[in-house]
Amino acid sequence: SAFLLHAQQNISLHGQIIDSKKVPVIGATITIAGTTNGTVSEADGSFRFSIKHALPVTLQVRAVGYKTQEVDVYENEAVTISLKDQSNTLDEVVVTALGITKEKKSLGYTVQALQNKDLENTKETNLLNNLTGKLAGVRITNSQGDMGSSRIVIRGETSIAGNNQPLFVVDGVPVDNSQLNSGGATRDFRNAIADLNPEDIESLNVLKGPNAAALYGSRAAHGVILITTKSGKGQKGLGITLTSGVTLANVATLPEYQNVFGQGSNGKFSYVDGKGGGVNDGVDESWGPKLDGRLIPQFFSNGVAVPFVAHPDNVKDFFETGVTLDNGISIAGSDKKYDFRLGVNNQRQKGTVPNSEIKKTNFSINSNYQLTKDIKIGATADYIVTNAPALPGGPSGGRAAGVMLQFLWFGRQVDINELKKNWNNNWNNSYYNNPYWNAYYNTTTQDKNRLIGDIHLEAKIADGLNFRFRTGTDYYNDRRKYTIKYGTSGTPYGSYAEDAYTVSENNTEAILQYIKKLNKDFSLDALAGFNLRNRSYANNYQKAPRLAVPDLYTLTNSRDALTSSNYFSRQRAYSGYASAQLAYKNFAYLNITGRNDWSSTLPSNNRSYFYPSVNGSVVLSDALKIKSKTLDFLKLRGGWSEVGNDADPYQLATVYNFQTAFNGNPIQTSSQKKLNADLKPETTRSVEFGLESSFWQNRLHLDFAYYNTNSFDQILEIKTTASSGYTSQLINAGKINNHGIELQVEGTPLQSRHFKWNVAVNYSSNKSKVKILDYAGQIQNYTIGSSNGVDVLASVGQAYGTLYGTAYLRDANGNIIVGANGLPKADPQNRVLGHYTPDWLGGITNTLTYKNLQLSFLIDANVGGKLYSGTNRTGNYTGVLKQTLPGRDAAHGGLSYYYPGNLSANGKKLLTGTSAPNGETIYDDGVIFKGVLADGTPNATVISAQEYYKASYNISEAYIYSSTFVKLREVKLTYNVGKRLIKKIGLQDASLTLTGRNLFFIYKAVPNIDPETALSTGNGQGLESLALPTTRNYSLNLNVKF
Amino acid sequence: CNSQLDEINKNPNATETPQAPYLLTSALKQGADLYWGSESNFNSSLLFVQHWAKIQYAEPDRYDVSNSSFTSLWNTGYSTLITDLNTILNSQDNQVNSNYKGIALTLRSWVFLLLTDAYGSIPYQEAGLKITPAYNTQKEVYTGLLADLTQAQSLLATANGSVSGDVVYSGNISKWKKLVNSLRLRIALRISDKEPDLAKQAAIAATGDAAGLLAGNSDTFQFVYASSPQQNPASAWFDTRDDYRISKTMVDKLYELSDPRLPVYAQLPSDPSVGKYVGGANGLSNSDANSQGFAKTSKPGTYFLAPQSPAVIFSYSEVLFARAEAVARGYISGDAEQLYKSAITASLNQFGITDATVIANYLSQPGVKYDATNFAKSIGIQKWIAFFGQGLDAFAEWRRLDYPVLTAGPATVLDGQIPSRFFYPGTEQSLNGVSYKAAISAQGKDLLTTKLWFDAK
């Protein structure tokens, strides 16, 4: 073919690759150094390929997990190349931007990789949760129980308003990780990356921040996570792997409830109809009578007075043990001309909330075929079918569907078994349904079909010159149905809604790569490429607000006009990019990249923008020849980059929206968001320095990074006072700085023939500061999120994520000022109550290996940062929490008091000893709020405990807590069946793993909740609001290959 | 390539072109929702004036509220209503006839009036024009609104062209002209204690205008709702919740006066053994509020809770009360007592009470009779009754006339005071801090108890 060079002679090089234990290494890449000419080793480690060079040549052998080895071949005879096992590889090969593998030592930035062994067998149903604590500088929060979404942020929030989560790329195909919601739905649906099956993943590489990700241009600002799936490369003949696992999940952090007082108010309760017919039976709070067995009619007793006793586990007993069954089979094979891997994995998860269930099946294929000697084609596909017949209620799914909302009001005497027995029984008819009614009748279903895949081609054009082409897609349909049954409290006629999404992103890229050893000292690795990106999004939501007849869930079964909305968007970007790496003597490297994007979402004169980066590294231990027995390796690295971000579609012209017509009259109203015809792209500039070193034959390995990132010209939808005409306006402004350090230390304190103890520590600390919002200086605060009157702000001069809200009114000495009524006063001036961003994050993994047995445990910590807890706020108000016991009666330290003349309405309460002057009723639930009166004298007014615990409901400061926690995240015990035994039973490999995750808190500051649960996956973090409890998981996994 | 990318970024979901009739329908519907809905009405002002009471979650009834409790009046008022009305006002003259502009200016004046009555100083001149608009004092706002309404009157004429999308007056321009004059009269009385000369001048202008004032209950400016999901907001609320009752203060007053409106304003308690109307007391602790019994207290009347119940915004009876007061103040000539009687009669008629004997008996009671020595008391009490459900205006007039005398409930948190205004939205502190600070330094602390300029006593 015209592409091929014709050489005078062909030499067939062959040999075998083995490891230090003489075990054949499969899948090693063998190339002529400085070229791409080469092959991959077979299952027995053998390789063979022909060259057109004259001998001698230098062979370079690279394999993930081993040191890269260079061997000079002088004679045309079989060579045996022994690779050094390298757990903390100095010459490690890593996947970098655009999927290009490079030697880690040549990079001027940090890349942290996780291998399959770090991910599989832990069986988190959300892939992101698998990463918690294992990566330096990466913060993951999961918002809702065992079926919810998770959020990942690398090196802090660099965008004030935009999405701060990294780009995910699977086998070169950018994939979507949105969390979609519309139509006022508040259920927490899983983010899209959770669709992937961890079992299919070969490795996961984290490009932290702009320096590593610069080649992704406008999508690089928040880092990139590159996922490489397993292939059949190097599998001799057929390899069949069976995996089977079972995971049990229990709710981990439930509120601590009090069990002394039951439902009611002012100590009184008697049930008639649950909505005010009896004594306080419409009250859904637990300020009622003592749970001392006194006889009171209750919801299940048909008016008969029955013992009023505590049911301490009435919330816990609602939750079930979640069971996840995972079963998968994969078949892999390869030959000289092809390799393939087919996999199918079925996961069936029964959640901890009754009736909740998700079924997911992944079908995956990864195949390559050598079309000619120089052209290889291939395809990958992951088809994911998700069917969730019922998802658990969200944080504010309303009283008709919420779970924890009800349980923060749940009467402490309520017998959950009576509710379970009969779903028409209900403890309170003013506001709630039987929780089982909610779980089984008021359901949300989800059906999702997703295809992620590509076809690709690699062609060798000339020696050192390669061409790659790839076109890939990520396409999914996501259909949800919401049903509320007839007769549901608050929705007496029921309702039915359908919500459908179609999301698609296609990327097509073509890349030319040129690798050339320029002379004895210098070599060049350069590429140039082009990418076309198309994304579209469609949503259609329709709701029958009130059903005509019960139990028929169709859109036409409606009493009213349907409410409906739809939205469609598309965007396109063209990108051209190039990079070059110049290497000097294998110890000094210079990397330069540039990318230009043209985006449809920007106005035509601001549409084109260029992003450059430069970075370099020097292996000082080689350059200065300071290698010793102590110091193996010392590398310095550094770089500068500029990346950015474009806008969302349709942000240039302000629009008018239509709402449901009124009696035949169309309704049109201004969008409350003023858009901007002159938008520019956002820019992020980042500097990064780092140092990597290793000591004592790699028994100790250190990696340190410092970065400083400035993001400006941000596309901000700033909240504006409505009196400006709009509640928000889109501006191009703002500057936010993030700087921080990351440290990874890995060491092997003990190593003997059979025993090894390995420790890996990571630590990271990020500091952010909002420098400017608008350039005119008029805007001092940008509202990121809000809940119950607490705003999360980007506030000029402050760290990102300021919690801002109502504080107690205090005097000059900091004492809380209390009114004449004994209740604290709120300061009319809102105050900064803290920041949600943590001071530092850390994780430590200990791995102990003894013969075939391996035990590892991971402890991680999040130190600093504040959160606002809606659970504590609500639970104090309702008196269900254990923390509301002090003061509630004499036994709990309550003061005694009486109302003169027994007139509670006159509000005057007097402290008393044992008797009242006129025989008034004496109460023993008196509390004095600690504070001073306006004149500075200490407050001495007695209020009831009920008033006391409700007093701060609207004072946000009272429910701000430290987010600090230390958690035993993961314990994993693996038994690898011995090679000899495996051979005897005819297997290639077998292992059994027992894993426990989220086991317990070693320390946490906030009561009653898991501080990791946040309100959403958006930027408005630090606001906890009646989240579903997180789960503690135990799993057993069997892995057999034959 | 550029034009292709431009084409891709053309928004297919909404239009960039506004249509005046559709904006008008929107302003009327959303204005009614705002005026009659929970946040500005039955969860705040209706509790302050003790028309309604909370029987559960009584915090707002105890004035235990936060500075995010009154944001919808501000946000909807400005960014929805005023912005949409400004869009009509800023339309090219060849696109809309001047009647659209006259109506838009009238409605915009009404919204500004609601805002200033509730908060005090508000952005007026710079509203919608700047990202951080300065606030104007109440005096500036009221004066500006009188001028705006004069201009609105001059824009309106039946001959100027027809108007569609008017779901209140069906394009009847003469009714709009009457509403304009009625609003001018309302404003004249708002400022009567502070700027009597200007008030008099405005009252004369309003009553002397050839277009006249609202002249019968068929002229009442009210938005009549349809069925779900476009039902009356109070009706929608009671579909799902049960935490409001008619106030004991109102029920007791209606009993005291043997007022025939009582069965309209209240329902009998659901427990038949009670057998009479029982209001919920205002300002109780949650437990005391609860203890009154859901089944033993009266909900607001079904007249107010049906899906199609109207949101009354300006009633004929209010015009008559205003004329009576303008006469009593000596601004205009007339028979104050007769106007007062007509106002009460109009209110009774409005609520379906038309029996002449019943009306005559009511009017002849000593407690109802017009007291010329204290017009504020007579008019204040009767206006308070007639305004039932119109929380924001009942609140403004109660503050101005100081009648009826209301007492804060026992568990209220303002040291025995009743609120005199709304808080500014808490977000004003973060979003328009400089203007906000300037406003409160002139007006007084951003407290519920700070008296507004028009509220002289």
Side-chain angles (χ1 to χ4, degrees):
Chain A
S1 118
F3 292 115
L4 303 180
L5 292 181
H6 294 279
Q8 289 159 325
Q9 54 174 148
N10 275 0
I11 298 170
S12 178
L13 282 178
H14 62 286
Q16 193 194 18
I17 313 294
I18 55 172
D19 69 10
S20 54
K21 293 175 205 132
K22 303 209 181 340
V23 175
V25 175
I26 61 172
T29 308
I30 303 108
T31 52
I32 307 289
T35 76
T36 55
N37 188 11
T39 188
V40 174
S41 63
E42 309 288 342
D44 60 358
S46 68
F47 69 90
R48 179 180 292 274
F49 69 111
S50 40
I51 60 166
K52 297 164 220 82
H53 285 262
L55 294 177
V57 295
T58 304
L59 285 187
Q60 189 183 56
V61 186
R62 290 183 295 175
V64 172
Y66 297 93
K67 278 188 177 181
T68 297
Q69 189 99 350
E70 289 197 0
V71 178
D72 293 332
V73 179
Y74 299 95
E75 304 292 338
N76 185 11
E77 56 189 29
V79 286
T80 301
I81 301 169
S82 174
L83 295 181
K84 293 210 171 83
D85 195 27
Q86 193 55 281
S87 52
N88 302 319
T89 42
L90 309 181
D91 299 316
E92 189 182 342
V93 175
V94 293
V95 182
T96 67
L98 304 175
I100 292 158
T101 52
K102 288 204 163 147
E103 284 181 272
K104 194 176 174 189
K105 69 176 179 188
S106 74
L107 304 176
Y109 48 78
T110 327
V111 174
Q112 196 175 357
L114 290 181
Q115 305 303 328
N116 175 261
K117 64 181 167 59
D118 303 316
L119 301 171
E120 68 178 4
N121 292 330
T122 47
K123 289 293 185 279
E124 280 274 3
T125 48
N126 194 330
L127 173 66
L128 288 185
N129 295 349
N130 268 325
L131 312 180
T132 314
K134 294 174 182 169
L135 297 162
V138 175
R139 180 166 189 245
I140 291 157
T141 43
N142 58 316
S143 55
Q144 290 293 317
D146 52 355
M147 292 179 169
S149 62
S150 294
R151 174 180 195 253
I152 178 169
V153 170
I154 303 172
R155 288 186 174 173
E157 283 83 1
T158 50
S159 181
I160 290 172
N163 173 23
N164 274 302
Q165 301 199 56
L167 171 69
F168 284 81
V169 178
V170 177
D171 293 329
V173 180
V175 298
D176 184 73
N177 186 32
S178 321
Q179 202 221 358
L180 303 174
N181 253 338
S182 75
T186 48
R187 221 166 272 246
D188 181 54
F189 291 91
R190 243 173 219 170
N191 51 305
I193 206 71
D195 290 340
L196 298 184
N197 173 22
E199 214 68 56
D200 289 336
I201 295 174
E202 179 66 45
S203 69
L204 183 148
N205 284 269
V206 184
L207 309 182
K208 294 178 189 172
N211 297 71
L215 266 181
Y216 289 99
S218 61
R219 308 180 82 184
H222 318 296
V224 178
I225 293 188
L226 297 172
I227 292 170
T228 308
T229 65
K230 287 178 182 167
S231 72
K233 265 180 207 137
Q235 173 66 46
K236 177 103 176 170
L238 276 188
I240 299 174
T241 305
L242 291 177
T243 56
S244 188
V246 56
T247 302
L248 303 180
N250 288 319
V251 293
T253 312
L254 280 174
E256 275 191 76
Y257 292 101
Q258 58 88 6
N259 291 297
V260 182
F261 298 92
Q263 192 183 348
S265 186
N266 262 5
K268 298 190 190 97
F269 178 77
S270 177
Y271 189 96
V272 173
D273 60 2
K275 48 182 177 184
V279 179
N280 292 332
D281 69 344
V283 176
D284 50 352
E285 300 163 19
S286 285
W287 300 105
K290 263 198 155 169
L291 294 161
D292 51 8
R294 66 183 76 186
L295 300 176
I296 297 178
Q298 293 181 42
F299 67 89
F300 54 87
S301 69
N302 291 318
V304 179
V306 293
F308 198 63
V309 292
H311 287 89
D313 291 331
N314 62 358
V315 173
K316 186 174 159 225
D317 289 349
F318 174 75
F319 293 98
E320 300 173 346
T321 298
V323 180
T324 305
L325 297 174
D326 253 288
N327 289 291
I329 179 168
S330 68
I331 306 172
S334 75
D335 200 347
K336 286 196 176 92
K337 297 208 101 177
Y338 68 83
D339 64 75
F340 72 91
R341 179 179 182 272
L342 299 175
V344 55
N345 190 82
N346 179 269
Q347 184 181 72
R348 186 176 170 161
Q349 180 183 13
K350 294 281 287 175
T352 52
V353 173
N355 196 36
S356 63
E357 184 176 11
I358 300 179
K359 293 176 275 192
K360 186 180 83 170
T361 308
N362 290 57
F363 302 90
S364 60
I365 178 166
N366 186 332
S367 65
N368 290 291
Y369 184 73
Q370 196 78 39
L371 202 59
T372 72
K373 209 158 60 110
D374 297 308
I375 300 177
K376 192 162 87 172
I377 57 171
T380 62
D382 192 1
Y383 180 62
I384 306 142
V385 182
T386 307
N387 166 246
L391 290 166
S396 43
R399 287 161 201 269
V403 176
M404 287 313 285
L405 173 65
Q406 164 155 194
F407 290 142
L408 262 304
W409 297 84
F410 213 49
R412 298 306 307 137
Q413 87 291 355
V414 173
D415 184 348
I416 190 86
N417 288 319
E418 294 290 344
L419 293 171
K420 194 174 188 175
K421 264 194 270 181
N422 181 350
W423 299 346
N424 289 311
N425 268 349
N426 194 6
W427 66 283
N428 174 285
N429 285 311
S430 284
Y431 300 106
Y432 301 98
N433 297 291
N434 180 312
Y436 291 94
W437 171 293
N438 282 354
Y440 284 89
Y441 292 147
N442 297 343
T443 57
T444 296
T445 68
Q446 185 181 27
D447 278 289
K448 189 171 177 186
N449 291 281
R450 184 174 194 181
L451 176 68
I452 299 170
D454 79 329
I455 55 172
H456 52 263
L457 173 148
E458 281 181 46
K460 192 192 301 171
I461 298 172
D463 226 15
L465 185 64
N466 269 12
F467 173 72
R468 283 182 4 198
F469 173 83
R470 180 195 310 275
T471 181
T473 190
D474 177 10
Y475 175 91
Y476 63 87
N477 276 309
D478 186 345
R479 297 185 71 85
R480 298 152 185 191
K481 294 174 182 172
Y482 301 88
T483 57
I484 303 283
K485 190 179 165 69
Y486 230 72
T488 291
S489 167
T491 315
Y493 293 99
S495 71
Y496 177 66
E498 290 192 5
D499 195 10
Y501 299 87
T502 304
V503 177
S504 135
E505 174 160 334
N506 296 302
N507 279 275
T508 300
E509 69 174 12
I511 295 176
L512 269 176
Q513 188 176 14
Y514 182 66
I515 299 175
K516 171 85 179 163
K517 197 156 174 96
L518 299 173
N519 59 33
K520 198 164 125 293
D521 292 335
F522 286 97
S523 58
L524 177 72
D525 180 348
L527 68 78
F530 178 81
N531 190 86
L532 167 66
R533 172 184 177 223
N534 277 306
R535 181 184 161 87
S536 71
Y537 165 95
N539 173 238
N540 189 339
Y541 176 84
Q542 281 191 295
K543 181 177 183 180
R546 297 190 305 167
L547 301 177
V549 298
D551 300 330
L552 175 65
Y553 298 108
T554 68
L555 288 167
T556 46
N557 177 27
S558 178
R559 286 170 187 268
D560 311 309
L562 299 184
T563 49
S564 60
S565 67
N566 61 331
Y567 189 82
F568 175 77
S569 76
R570 57 182 185 143
Q571 65 190 102
R572 177 178 294 178
Y574 303 113
S575 309
Y577 40 83
S579 83
Q581 179 179 82
L582 191 66
Y584 174 70
K585 281 191 172 170
N586 267 345
F587 61 69
Y589 301 86
L590 177 69
N591 302 285
I592 296 170
T593 73
R595 171 164 171 143
N596 202 90
D597 286 354
W598 293 265
S599 166
S600 70
T601 63
L602 294 168
S604 47
N605 41 349
N606 297 337
R607 170 166 293 150
S608 162
Y609 41 100
F610 180 70
Y611 297 124
S613 90
V614 57
N615 67 72
S617 78
V618 183
V619 181
L620 287 176
S621 47
D622 290 348
L624 305 176
K625 301 203 167 54
I626 52 170
K627 231 181 227 179
S628 69
K629 279 212 159 161
T630 310
L631 180 76
D632 302 335
F633 179 78
L634 177 64
K635 171 187 148 182
L636 281 181
R637 59 173 191 261
W640 175 91
S641 71
E642 178 175 318
V643 296
N645 206 355
D646 58 1
D648 289 334
Y650 318 138
Q651 300 301 301
L652 306 180
T654 308
V655 293
Y656 295 84
N657 297 311
F658 284 98
Q659 297 178 353
T660 309
F662 183 81
N663 281 350
N665 294 279
I667 287 186
Q668 192 186 31
T669 186
S670 166
S671 157
Q672 298 192 17
K673 178 176 169 186
K674 187 180 184 186
L675 301 178
N676 187 335
D678 300 313
L679 282 187
K680 287 183 290 188
E682 297 187 3
T683 304
T684 298
R685 285 192 194 130
S686 175
V687 175
E688 175 175 345
F689 296 101
L691 180 148
E692 195 182 344
S693 61
S694 121
F695 304 89
W696 302 294
Q697 272 79 54
N698 210 21
R699 289 283 286 268
L700 179 66
H701 185 90
L702 293 176
D703 191 324
F704 170 82
Y706 166 84
Y707 59 88
N708 190 337
T709 304
N710 281 301
S711 306
F712 44 93
D713 280 348
Q714 303 229 321
I715 296 170
L716 290 181
E717 186 189 337
I718 51 163
K719 294 276 188 299
T720 49
T721 168
S723 61
S724 70
Y726 298 89
T727 52
S728 67
Q729 306 197 10
L730 208 60
I731 60 168
N732 246 148
K735 181 175 172 187
I736 181 169
N737 173 267
N738 276 273
H739 61 272
I741 56 168
E742 287 160 9
L743 184 64
Q744 296 166 53
V745 182
E746 212 174 328
T748 312
L750 280 176
Q751 188 165 22
S752 67
R753 205 170 139 225
H754 291 305
F755 180 74
K756 188 175 171 186
W757 173 27
N758 195 66
V759 189
V761 177
N762 68 69
Y763 168 92
S764 64
S765 165
N766 180 73
K767 297 247 177 306
S768 66
K769 190 169 185 180
V770 179
K771 298 269 179 112
I772 298 172
L773 285 170
D774 66 323
Y775 294 127
Q778 287 182 305
I779 306 295
Q780 293 300 303
N781 295 293
Y782 170 80
T783 309
I784 306 162
S786 54
S787 167
N788 293 323
V790 178
D791 287 332
V792 183
L793 302 177
S795 191
V796 172
Q798 302 261 355
Y800 189 77
T802 305
L803 299 170
Y804 188 72
T806 315
Y808 288 112
L809 187 66
R810 290 173 190 273
D811 68 9
N813 300 321
N815 298 310
I816 294 173
I817 296 180
V818 176
N821 55 11
L823 299 173
K825 292 189 174 235
D827 190 336
Q829 175 68 45
N830 282 356
R831 303 216 174 268
V832 172
L833 306 172
H835 297 91
Y836 79 66
T837 40
D839 298 334
W840 60 269
L841 304 171
I844 175 164
T845 306
N846 280 279
T847 308
L848 305 166
T849 311
Y850 178 72
K851 292 188 173 172
N852 295 329
L853 215 51
Q854 190 176 62
L855 174 70
S856 74
F857 55 98
L858 162 63
I859 293 168
D860 73 321
N862 174 319
V863 176
K866 293 278 169 64
L867 62 82
Y868 173 73
S869 169
T871 293
N872 280 288
R873 172 185 188 242
T874 306
N876 267 14
Y877 184 93
T878 60
V880 299
L881 295 178
K882 193 178 171 193
Q883 67 197 25
T884 64
L885 277 180
R888 286 180 74 164
D889 62 7
H892 293 93
L895 304 169
S896 38
Y897 64 94
Y898 64 91
Y899 296 98
N902 272 341
L903 284 169
S904 68
N906 73 15
K908 198 173 175 208
K909 298 165 201 175
L910 300 177
L911 264 171
T912 171
T914 50
S915 66
N918 302 308
E920 289 100 336
T921 312
I922 296 178
Y923 300 90
D924 65 352
D925 63 338
V927 183
I928 296 176
F929 200 99
K930 195 168 178 291
V932 298
L933 300 178
D935 63 6
T937 56
N939 171 42
T941 305
V942 180
I943 52 176
S944 71
Q946 182 173 344
E947 290 174 281
Y948 176 81
Y949 287 106
K950 290 182 174 194
S952 304
Y953 191 65
N954 279 325
I955 299 177
S956 319
E957 179 191 344
Y959 298 104
I960 297 281
Y961 299 87
S962 160
S963 317
T964 300
F965 70 84
V966 182
K967 205 175 206 180
L968 178 60
R969 177 75 56 184
E970 181 177 301
V971 174
K972 189 154 94 171
L973 181 67
T974 305
Y975 174 68
N976 290 299
V977 182
K979 295 277 177 208
R980 214 176 292 164
L981 181 60
I982 281 180
K983 282 236 167 102
K984 214 181 268 178
I985 49 181
L987 297 178
Q988 295 190 23
D989 208 354
S991 68
L992 193 64
T993 309
L994 188 64
T995 313
R997 292 208 24 104
N998 277 331
L999 291 172
F1000 59 86
F1001 283 101
I1002 294 164
Y1003 172 83
K1004 76 177 167 95
V1006 56
N1008 299 311
I1009 59 160
D1010 180 340
E1012 282 191 283
T1013 59
L1015 196 66
S1016 72
T1017 49
N1019 290 336
Q1021 300 287 302
L1023 303 171
E1024 182 274 339
S1025 178
L1026 312 177
L1028 273 174
T1030 46
T1031 57
R1032 183 183 293 130
N1033 299 346
Y1034 306 93
S1035 60
L1036 181 67
N1037 293 290
L1038 178 68
N1039 208 315
V1040 181
K1041 187 175 176 189
F1042 53 92
Chain B
C1 143
N2 246 343
S3 66
Q4 201 179 15
L5 292 181
D6 283 337
E7 184 61 32
I8 284 170
N9 205 36
K10 202 164 150 43
N11 191 340
N13 302 295
T15 171
E16 293 169 25
T17 319
Q19 304 280 339
Y22 306 166
L23 293 171
L24 174 58
T25 309
S26 171
L28 292 168
K29 164 79 163 52
Q30 303 205 55
D33 288 348
L34 179 66
Y35 185 71
W36 211 255
S38 66
E39 198 180 292
S40 311
N41 197 35
F42 49 84
N43 207 37
S44 56
S45 53
L46 270 192
L47 303 174
F48 300 165
V49 295
Q50 303 185 2
H51 280 186
W52 286 21
K54 286 212 84 174
I55 194 163
Q56 191 159 30
Y57 307 122
E59 280 76 12
D61 207 355
R62 290 205 305 275
Y63 323 134
D64 183 5
V65 294
S66 74
N67 59 15
S68 60
S69 298
F70 308 110
T71 49
S72 77
L73 178 59
W74 189 274
N75 284 358
T76 308
Y78 278 113
S79 64
T80 299
L81 299 175
I82 291 175
T83 298
D84 282 346
L85 296 166
N86 277 339
T87 305
I88 299 176
L89 285 168
N90 297 333
S91 303
Q92 299 291 325
D93 283 340
N94 55 10
Q95 285 173 334
V96 302
N97 66 52
S98 73
N99 282 333
Y100 280 106
K101 295 195 174 187
I103 290 172
L105 194 53
T106 308
L107 289 173
R108 196 186 75 172
S109 305
W110 169 64
V111 178
F112 273 125
L113 183 59
L114 292 180
L115 288 163
T116 191
D117 286 346
Y119 301 103
S121 299
I122 53 162
Y124 169 67
Q125 274 163 342
E126 294 181 1
L129 300 176
K130 287 194 174 169
I131 203 163
T132 52
Y135 288 53
N136 291 99
T137 63
Q138 281 206 304
K139 184 180 169 184
E140 289 163 349
V141 176
Y142 289 128
T143 313
L145 293 180
L146 285 172
D148 287 348
L149 287 167
T150 307
Q151 194 199 340
Q153 193 60 276
S154 70
L155 287 165
L156 290 163
T158 309
N160 290 352
S162 67
V163 164
S164 53
D166 172 10
V167 289
V168 171
Y169 282 153
S170 309
N172 184 334
I173 298 301
S174 65
K175 288 195 179 187
W176 280 103
K177 291 179 74 75
K178 291 176 187 175
L179 177 67
V180 171
N181 289 333
S182 306
L183 279 166
R184 292 160 82 184
L185 186 57
R186 185 189 270 181
I187 294 171
L189 293 175
R190 283 282 200 280
I191 61 175
S192 56
D193 286 340
K194 298 297 279 194
E195 293 284 327
D197 294 342
L198 180 59
K200 181 175 182 180
Q201 191 190 322
I204 292 167
T207 53
D209 189 88
L213 298 155
L214 301 181
N217 275 323
S218 63
D219 284 349
T220 286
F221 187 65
Q222 62 179 14
F223 186 91
V224 181
Y225 282 96
S227 57
S228 168
Q230 288 165 325
Q231 81 265 49
N232 180 294
S235 161
W237 186 276
F238 275 81
D239 267 358
T240 62
R241 296 189 62 156
D242 188 23
D243 40 0
Y244 291 94
R245 290 293 181 270
I246 184 171
S247 163
K248 181 174 185 302
T249 314
M250 178 59 79
V251 170
D252 291 355
K253 186 55 133 181
L254 296 180
Y255 265 126
E256 180 195 322
L257 300 176
S258 306
D259 198 305
R261 286 169 287 195
L262 179 55
V264 183
Y265 285 10
Q267 298 179 40
L268 283 169
S270 60
D271 182 342
S273 71
V274 180
K276 58 169 184 164
Y277 299 98
V278 179
N282 289 97
L284 298 185
S285 69
N286 285 9
S287 46
D288 287 344
N290 281 311
S291 303
Q292 300 174 102
F294 284 72
K296 297 189 186 312
T297 43
S298 295
K299 291 185 196 182
T302 50
Y303 179 95
F304 296 90
L305 303 183
Q308 285 87 356
S309 293
V312 175
I313 293 168
F314 208 131
S315 67
Y316 172 51
S317 99
E318 184 191 342
V319 169
L320 294 167
F321 278 121
R323 285 175 60 195
E325 187 181 339
V327 172
R329 285 182 181 270
Y331 295 170
I332 56 172
S333 59
D335 180 344
E337 180 168 8
Q338 190 49 48
L339 286 164
Y340 167 82
K341 282 182 173 171
S342 306
I344 296 170
T345 307
S347 173
L348 293 167
N349 291 342
Q350 182 186 338
F351 296 106
I353 297 140
T354 50
D355 185 315
T357 326
V358 171
I359 294 171
N361 289 344
Y362 181 72
L363 291 173
S364 62
Q365 295 183 85
V368 177
K369 271 200 162 154
Y370 181 68
D371 179 356
T373 61
N374 192 352
F375 69 85
K377 183 177 179 187
S378 294
I379 293 175
I381 291 170
Q382 280 299 328
K383 212 168 183 177
W384 175 75
I385 297 171
F387 268 137
F388 188 70
Q390 287 179 257
L392 285 168
D393 281 300
F395 182 41
E397 289 298 87
W398 169 76
R399 282 176 287 166
R400 188 176 67 79
L401 294 166
D402 304 303
Y403 286 99
V405 176
L406 300 176
T407 312
T412 53
V413 300
L414 299 177
D415 298 327
Q417 296 185 71
I418 293 173
S420 293
R421 62 183 287 274
F422 283 4
F423 285 131
Y424 291 114
T427 45
E428 284 300 285
Q429 298 181 28
S430 52
L431 303 179
N432 194 11
V434 175
S435 307
Y436 166 85
K437 283 202 182 99
I440 58 168
S441 74
Q443 175 167 287
K445 281 187 182 164
D446 190 6
L447 299 174
L448 291 178
T449 48
T450 299
K451 287 238 188 284
L452 298 183
W453 172 83
F454 81 91
D455 181 9
K457 283 174 282 188

